Amino acid sequence: MKTRQKLHDPKKATCLVCSHVISLQRPILYVAHDDDAWKFVCRNIGHKMTQLKTIPISEVVQLDATLDELFEMPPGVGAKRFNANSKWEPFLLYPERDE
């Protein structure tokens, strides 16, 4: 299945992904778009820096095509879901910031 990526240049864009997702042990349940950096992990807490890897965003979309719908999120927004079959729920990463 080919996905329609909404990133400016998905072949050059990179992101942080936890080792659990890369090894297909767990699904992506938490996404953060922070200052033009993307992070895709199996949960939002408990990762060590050594468990995060930098890979092309195009490879992440191959792991989970539902991510394509999130690429319009501006910096400062994240999305989470309960399991791989749940709908993505967006939220503000820094709700206390006055924008």
Side-chain angles (χ1 to χ4, degrees):
M1 177 168 102
K2 191 169 184 171
T3 60
R4 176 182 38 88
Q5 295 184 2
K6 300 170 184 151
L7 297 170
H8 179 63
D9 190 349
K11 291 182 180 174
K12 292 184 181 178
T14 60
C15 61
L16 290 173
V17 182
C18 74
S19 58
H20 307 112
V21 168
I22 292 172
S23 65
L24 304 177
Q25 292 176 329
R26 297 182 190 153
I28 299 168
L29 300 179
Y30 182 89
V31 176
H33 185 197
D34 189 14
D35 297 327
D36 295 325
W38 289 88
K39 180 173 149 183
F40 302 91
V41 293
C42 59
R43 57 186 175 166
N44 64 336
I45 59 171
H47 289 97
K48 298 176 185 173
M49 287 304 293
T50 58
Q51 292 175 309
L52 298 174
K53 309 293 181 200
T54 302
I55 67 170
I57 285 184
S58 58
E59 289 182 24
V60 176
V61 174
Q62 291 176 5
L63 297 174
D64 185 341
T66 69
L67 299 173
D68 189 53
E69 66 191 66
L70 303 179
F71 289 133
E72 290 184 4
M73 292 190 319
V77 176
K80 59 184 175 179
R81 59 186 177 176
F82 182 71
N83 61 44
N85 298 315
S86 300
K87 187 174 180 177
W88 287 106
E89 298 176 24
F91 64 93
L92 292 176
L93 291 174
Y94 310 106
E96 68 280 353
R97 284 190 186 172
D98 215 11
E99 306 215 17

